[in-house]
Amino acid sequence: MKKGATIDSLEITGISSEGKGVGRVDGKVVFVKETVPGDIVKARVVGKKKKFLEAYAEEILSRSSERTAPFCEHFGLCGGCKWQHMEYDAQLKYKQGHVEENLRKLSGLKLPEINPILGSSKTSFYRNKLEFTFSNFRWLTREEINSDEEYVRTGLGFHIPKQYNKIINVNKCHLQADPSNEIRLKVKDFADKHDVSFYDVKNQEGFLRNLVIRTASTGDVMVILQVHYRDQEMLDLVMNFIQKEFPAITSLMFVVNEKGNDSFGDLEVELFAGKDHIMEQMDDLKFKIGPKSFYQTNSEQAHELYKVAADFAGLKGEELVYDLYTGTGTIANFVARSAKKVIGIEYVEEAIADAKVNSELNGIDNTDFYAGDMKDLLGNEFINEHGKPDVIITDPPRAGMHPRVTQMLADLKAERMVYVSCNPATQARDLEILGQVYEVKKIQPVDMFPQTQHVENVILLELKK
């Protein structure tokens, strides 16, 4: 089966953790994007590896009962919502299956029955943060290429998957509620009409680079405009337009970025109008969110996630809790009133500063926060100074925990550990070490990102008796 070959009839029998449909031909696995288990497709091979083939569906011969019509005109191009073509109940089923498959195959541990996944009440317009990229040479669709019309080549939207220099212009995004779409569309229209240059990523020239929009349940809105160089007249032109057109924006900021990439964690974010932060609320807790602050992008479902973590922690008011990878201290502050003391550790210093402010905002005085590399900071000296924890809550990035951190936690032998993960595969890997001294008591998947293959998972570990 060579690249370019046609598979006349391929039944899709599964779904991969990357979100692609899975079939088999001549004993070899075939990954087919934008298909659903139960589909039968005519497929064309576009990639050949030693153990698998990659293909796309030229024609759907028989539609799965789990298939539905995507609601976004950009589906299949921007890559942001890979599962829009799948019914939401089916999405939850396959996410639950991925959690179970990863934990049972990779951890090698005896596991309890996995609780049914917690679905999201919102399956669209659920994100509180989006980043859009400006381009002077946007991606054209096949229909546009085949037409005789002339098209405006500027674009403001998302990257084509795996192509850093290809931007699809977004007419409407179903991930973030208004005023997000209105802001993006009007900023682009204004820039086009006033000949404000869009960034050329290949030649690294042009003025407008990136637009970040953050919204909050409180009604606060933050907009950050990233520009390539400082041209005060041009900057004032665009920023004054945004401020006048959208008075609901409570924090209007900008970044001058002359680097080769759009990251601005190491750059100054300057205030143009309003406050230098927005406020988010969860229950009776308030959280200050700055331009560089991390906050779970699905605010409503984050609340459900934290309630699970707090329930699993089983705090009675007398425990010393370590909250690892604490970020801006969201979980630490969420559980602090049920604990004797909470100590949060995080690599990013700005996040730790936010965590301390969030404790002060909420009148919480039993938290301490420390910045440092987890594998270096969390050692015997730190434990001796701050005390051995009764409960550990850990919420690492997708890569999971460093092996030294995992081993330290196994050696530490806290009574209970709550492991929150956005990647069940690396969570399962870490459980191999933690399983030396802990047993898994509860497992709760949580869907934070509808229309995608991503899933969060919370595990309760208790010390073996």
Side-chain angles (χ1 to χ4, degrees):
M1 187 67 67
K2 296 181 180 180
K3 185 176 179 180
T6 297
I7 306 173
D8 291 326
S9 180
L10 178 67
E11 182 180 2
I12 305 301
T13 56
I15 198 92
S16 73
S17 58
E18 289 78 30
K20 297 178 181 179
V22 179
R24 288 184 178 273
V25 61
D26 298 333
K28 183 167 283 191
V29 171
V30 186
F31 295 110
V32 189
K33 68 176 185 177
E34 297 170 30
T35 57
V36 178
D39 280 344
I40 298 176
V41 302
K42 179 181 178 182
R44 183 170 296 276
V45 177
V46 294
K48 182 179 181 181
K49 304 294 182 183
K50 187 175 181 179
K51 293 185 178 180
F52 63 88
L53 301 172
E54 291 187 296
Y56 72 90
E58 285 190 329
E59 182 183 353
I60 300 175
L61 304 175
S62 177
R63 295 169 62 88
S64 168
S65 61
E66 296 176 336
R67 176 176 280 276
T68 189
F71 49 78
C72 178
E73 65 180 284
H74 306 299
F75 174 74
L77 277 179
C78 88
C81 302
K82 293 182 179 179
W83 279 8
Q84 270 191 29
H85 61 308
M86 190 189 302
E87 294 282 0
Y88 187 55
D89 284 348
Q91 293 180 32
L92 295 178
K93 179 179 73 172
Y94 293 117
K95 291 184 186 193
Q96 176 102 11
H98 286 157
V99 169
E100 183 163 357
E101 182 180 14
N102 277 296
L103 293 183
R104 295 200 186 280
K105 284 189 175 181
L106 300 180
S107 74
L109 299 178
K110 181 182 178 181
L111 301 175
E113 184 176 350
I114 299 175
N115 291 336
I117 187 171
L118 291 179
S120 176
S121 60
K122 290 182 179 178
T123 58
S124 60
F125 302 113
Y126 60 82
R127 286 185 68 97
N128 56 40
K129 179 185 177 184
L130 283 179
E131 299 183 23
F132 304 101
T133 301
F134 291 90
S135 173
N136 70 330
F137 200 67
R138 70 173 177 86
W139 180 269
L140 292 180
T141 65
R142 190 177 299 276
E143 291 75 17
E144 288 174 326
I145 293 172
N146 292 335
S147 75
D148 295 327
E149 295 183 40
E150 290 289 328
Y151 290 95
V152 175
R153 291 307 299 266
T154 55
L156 177 55
F158 298 124
H159 290 267
I160 297 289
K162 299 182 180 179
Q163 300 196 54
Y164 78 99
N165 62 335
K166 306 295 185 185
I167 303 298
I168 175 176
N169 187 62
V170 174
N171 295 318
K172 181 176 182 178
C173 179
H174 295 259
L175 284 174
Q176 189 177 31
D178 280 335
S180 178
N181 280 302
E182 189 179 2
I183 291 171
R184 185 191 65 258
L185 292 172
K186 288 194 174 182
V187 167
K188 181 186 183 299
D189 182 63
F190 180 85
D192 281 333
K193 289 179 178 177
H194 291 80
D195 295 321
V196 183
S197 60
F198 287 39
Y199 192 61
D200 182 332
V201 70
K202 282 190 173 181
N203 297 313
Q204 296 194 9
E205 58 187 22
F207 185 63
L208 298 172
R209 291 192 67 160
N210 187 272
L211 184 71
V212 179
I213 302 175
R214 302 187 79 153
T215 54
S217 61
T218 58
D220 284 356
V221 179
M222 175 184 287
V223 173
I224 308 168
L225 181 70
Q226 187 177 145
V227 297
H228 184 216
Y229 51 85
R230 189 177 292 276
D231 181 328
Q232 199 61 47
E233 183 178 352
M234 191 74 73
L235 185 62
D236 287 344
L237 177 70
V238 179
M239 298 297 276
N240 281 320
F241 165 76
I242 297 173
Q243 183 184 17
K244 182 180 178 181
E245 192 71 20
F246 298 99
I249 293 174
T250 53
S251 176
L252 182 56
M253 312 183 81
F254 67 93
V255 182
V256 178
N257 182 1
E258 299 177 348
K259 301 187 304 177
N261 61 68
D262 289 341
S263 64
F264 61 88
D266 57 340
L267 301 176
E268 180 185 3
V269 182
E270 301 179 53
L271 181 65
F272 186 85
K275 300 178 180 179
D276 64 354
H277 63 277
I278 57 176
M279 297 299 299
E280 185 57 271
Q281 186 146 355
M282 184 180 291
D283 278 345
D284 61 342
L285 295 175
K286 297 178 180 179
F287 295 98
K288 178 182 177 183
I289 300 171
K292 300 179 184 179
S293 299
F294 170 79
Y295 192 82
Q296 286 281 3
T297 52
N298 184 340
S299 300
E300 288 188 15
Q301 197 68 345
H303 189 197
E304 300 304 316
L305 181 73
Y306 297 158
K307 284 195 290 187
V308 171
D311 177 60
F312 280 14
L315 302 176
K316 305 299 183 185
E318 297 300 320
E319 297 89 352
L320 172 61
V321 180
Y322 278 16
D323 181 30
L324 309 185
Y325 310 93
T326 190
T328 54
T330 317
I331 293 180
N333 285 298
F334 191 80
V335 303
R337 292 172 182 171
S338 301
K340 183 177 182 180
K341 189 175 186 66
V342 182
I343 293 175
I345 305 175
E346 166 64 41
Y347 179 75
V348 181
E349 291 187 7
E350 292 89 349
I352 287 298
D354 287 338
K356 293 177 179 178
V357 168
N358 287 328
S359 285
E360 292 173 9
L361 274 173
N362 293 286
I364 296 171
D365 59 6
N366 63 333
T367 57
D368 284 331
F369 297 98
Y370 300 91
D373 191 318
M374 197 72 64
K375 70 180 190 305
D376 300 323
L377 186 59
L378 187 64
N380 291 326
E381 185 177 343
F382 187 91
I383 304 298
N384 291 336
E385 180 179 352
H386 299 285
K388 178 184 173 182
D390 302 296
V391 177
I392 293 170
I393 300 174
T394 182
D395 186 6
R398 286 190 62 79
M401 296 189 289
H402 190 280
R404 275 167 51 186
V405 175
T406 313
Q407 190 59 58
M408 168 59 77
L409 297 183
D411 295 340
L412 196 52
K413 297 181 180 179
E415 284 295 321
R416 287 189 304 285
M417 183 186 305
V418 179
Y419 190 152
V420 182
S421 173
C422 58
N423 187 346
T426 54
Q427 185 182 46
R429 178 204 66 200
D430 292 344
L431 287 177
E432 285 189 81
I433 295 176
L434 296 173
Q436 299 167 6
V437 294
Y438 290 100
E439 56 183 332
V440 179
K441 288 294 188 179
K442 294 181 181 179
I443 304 170
Q444 179 63 69
V446 181
D447 184 23
M448 299 285 289
F449 306 106
Q451 317 304 339
T452 79
Q453 72 275 20
H454 301 296
V455 61
E456 297 263 343
N457 191 49
V458 189
I459 287 180
L460 171 62
L461 298 156
E462 291 186 356
L463 202 61
K464 291 179 178 178
K465 303 302 183 184

